Amino acid sequence: MEIACIVGLFTRLIEMASGFRSPSAGFEIPFLILMLIASEGLRRRNVSPWLARGFVAVFLVVALLGTQWSVAAMGAYGRLTSAYPLMLLSLALLFVLPPRIVAVALGLLYGVYCLIVLSTPTQANEQTVAMVNTAIVSVIAVVAAALIYAGRRSDHQQKLEIRKQNDALLDRSIELDSLMAITVHDLRSPLHGMRNLFDLAVQRAPQEPDLPLVAVQAAIPSIDAMLALATRLMDAHAAEHRVLADIGEHDVRGHVLAAVDRAGPLAQSGGIDIVVDLPNHPLIAFLDVNALGQILDNLLSNGVRFSPAGGAVTISAGSEAAGVAIRILDQGPGVAPARLSALFKKFQVEGHTGIGSGPGMGMGLFIVSTLAQRIAANVRHERPNDGGACFIVTLATRDRS
């Protein structure tokens, strides 16, 4: 716009120096100066895109109206005219402005044109032909503006989609780098331990024949840890990609009791009680059996592992306005406020202490959140007033499905 204003002022100065007096010069020169000052001010203030676009639209429409008036007025009185500036402004109008604004602008232009034609001393049939032809061209211009705008919008949407895909690929690459680093770290320690143990067994086997058997038995926990790591990775992948084929209406109570039975051995090994609070009536909700089982297994195992010896984990379920809510409350240290925003993301490991706690992948709550989304459920965290952590899984019911 600033370049256009400068060029316009330069053109008017040349016209004045040559002795030509445009009928609209008294309006155009102050208008161009005003637009130049306003454009400079808006550019420095870094205004919103909508205000900038509106400013450009006003400039183009007013410039086009002024140019059309000058060309038509001079042509009506037999003066030499050129429609080239009018054509350039019209093209700018088509490519810069949305179709609705183009339609409004062309409507104003057509009205001005009709006033000029009707005020010209010509025959009525000539005036009618001129106005009809101009109306047809105006309609074609609006259609062209709509097609151009649709094409540009489609191109813009494609670029946004490509940018989103690139961002997703970048995030995936970062996840893979983190996965590799954490996996190597978690595998290195047990592998080193097993290697040292086997080396010792081989070296001392002639003197202690029973040592190889002892070494194999001692290696079992390390093998179990590596198998658990592989299982967590497979569970995370399955949570994102596995097809859930068993979504239907089920009584939540039976699945809660089954999850409690599965968590029983871990709880007994640390002296943790699992308290169950379920109503006597059925709690029917939409769920996938395997997905809900995995969600409850992760939340219960976290509650047991992070609770102190002799503590308790409470699991309850009941109907709420939002659906069927399952609550898992533990007596552990809770979740640090700084971690709440990233609680359900991948590789979010927290240094808790408790039964079975140790280096982990930080995948459990990510699996819970992913599976909950896939079965149209909601999972959230609440911090009880008396400490610990409380996770609530809300399942959809028939009324909300």
Side-chain angles (χ1 to χ4, degrees):
M1 276 192 55
E2 293 174 6
I3 294 175
C5 290
I6 293 173
V7 172
L9 288 172
F10 181 72
T11 303
R12 294 296 173 265
L13 291 176
I14 293 178
E15 291 175 352
M16 294 175 64
S18 64
F20 176 75
R21 294 293 184 270
S22 171
S24 59
F27 166 77
E28 290 179 353
I29 294 177
F31 171 74
L32 291 173
I33 294 175
L34 178 62
M35 289 291 105
L36 183 62
I37 296 174
S39 176
E40 181 69 17
L42 291 177
R43 183 170 60 84
R44 290 185 176 183
R45 292 184 181 181
N46 194 22
V47 297
S48 66
W50 287 107
L51 180 58
R53 293 170 185 170
F55 185 69
V56 173
V58 170
F59 172 78
L60 288 175
V61 171
V62 174
L64 194 57
L65 284 170
T67 303
Q68 186 196 36
W69 180 272
S70 299
V71 172
M74 289 188 294
Y77 292 97
R79 304 287 295 275
L80 180 63
T81 63
S82 172
Y84 189 68
L86 192 64
M87 179 188 69
L88 293 180
L89 284 174
S90 300
L91 289 176
L93 198 70
L94 291 177
F95 281 94
V96 173
L97 302 181
R100 293 180 181 178
I101 298 180
V102 172
V104 174
L106 290 180
L108 294 174
L109 293 173
Y110 183 70
V112 172
Y113 178 78
C114 290
L115 290 176
I116 296 173
V117 170
L118 293 175
S119 63
T120 303
T122 57
Q123 297 181 5
N125 59 345
E126 294 180 356
Q127 294 176 344
T128 302
V129 170
M131 290 188 292
V132 169
N133 289 339
T134 304
I136 294 174
V137 173
S138 299
V139 172
I140 294 174
V142 172
V143 174
L147 294 175
I148 293 171
Y149 183 79
R152 293 177 59 193
R153 184 173 183 179
S154 176
D155 181 65
H156 179 67
Q157 293 294 334
Q158 290 178 358
K159 290 181 179 179
L160 287 180
E161 187 64 27
I162 292 173
R163 183 179 300 176
K164 290 179 181 179
Q165 293 176 358
N166 289 336
D167 292 341
L169 289 174
L170 179 60
D171 293 340
R172 193 67 174 175
S173 177
I174 294 173
E175 284 185 1
L176 290 176
D177 289 342
S178 301
L179 175 62
M180 290 295 296
I182 294 174
T183 303
V184 170
H185 178 273
D186 283 2
L187 288 177
R188 186 168 182 168
S189 294
L191 286 173
H192 269 299
M194 291 173 58
R195 175 60 185 270
N196 294 334
L197 189 61
F198 291 159
D199 286 343
L200 179 63
V202 170
Q203 292 172 7
R204 300 178 60 179
Q207 294 82 18
E208 302 179 42
D210 295 335
L211 188 57
L213 179 60
V214 175
V216 171
Q217 293 175 340
I220 291 177
S222 296
I223 295 174
D224 290 340
M226 289 186 287
L227 287 174
L229 173 61
T231 301
R232 288 196 295 273
L233 293 175
M234 293 177 64
D235 287 344
H237 182 270
E240 292 182 285
H241 304 287
R242 185 181 62 199
V243 177
L244 303 181
D246 191 23
I247 296 180
E249 289 185 312
H250 299 269
D251 188 351
V252 172
R253 297 177 303 167
H255 301 292
V256 170
L257 294 175
V260 171
D261 291 339
R262 291 192 295 269
L266 178 62
Q268 292 176 3
S269 66
I272 306 295
D273 291 331
I274 298 181
V275 180
V276 182
D277 183 12
L278 297 175
N280 294 325
H281 58 84
L283 297 173
I284 306 300
F286 285 93
L287 55 94
D288 177 90
V289 174
N290 294 327
L292 180 60
Q294 198 169 356
I295 290 172
L296 297 179
D297 289 346
N298 277 281
L299 293 178
L300 280 174
S301 63
N302 281 348
V304 170
R305 289 189 298 112
F306 296 151
S307 293
V313 174
T314 302
I315 181 169
S316 60
S319 298
E320 295 183 351
V324 174
I326 304 173
R327 284 178 164 77
I328 296 92
L329 172 65
D330 64 50
Q331 296 177 340
V335 180
R339 290 193 61 251
L340 290 176
S341 60
L343 188 60
F344 295 100
K345 295 182 180 180
K346 284 184 179 180
F347 313 128
Q348 300 300 317
V349 183
E350 183 165 352
H352 284 160
T353 58
I355 303 302
S357 63
M361 294 288 293
M363 293 292 232
L365 292 180
F366 167 76
I367 294 173
V368 168
S369 175
T370 302
L371 289 174
Q373 292 177 3
R374 297 193 64 195
I375 61 174
N378 174 266
V379 58
R380 68 184 189 277
H381 165 268
E382 291 182 358
R383 187 176 182 88
N385 295 329
D386 54 352
C390 181
F391 289 91
I392 300 99
V393 180
T394 305
L395 302 168
T397 57
R398 177 180 292 275
D399 294 337
R400 299 184 60 249
S401 60

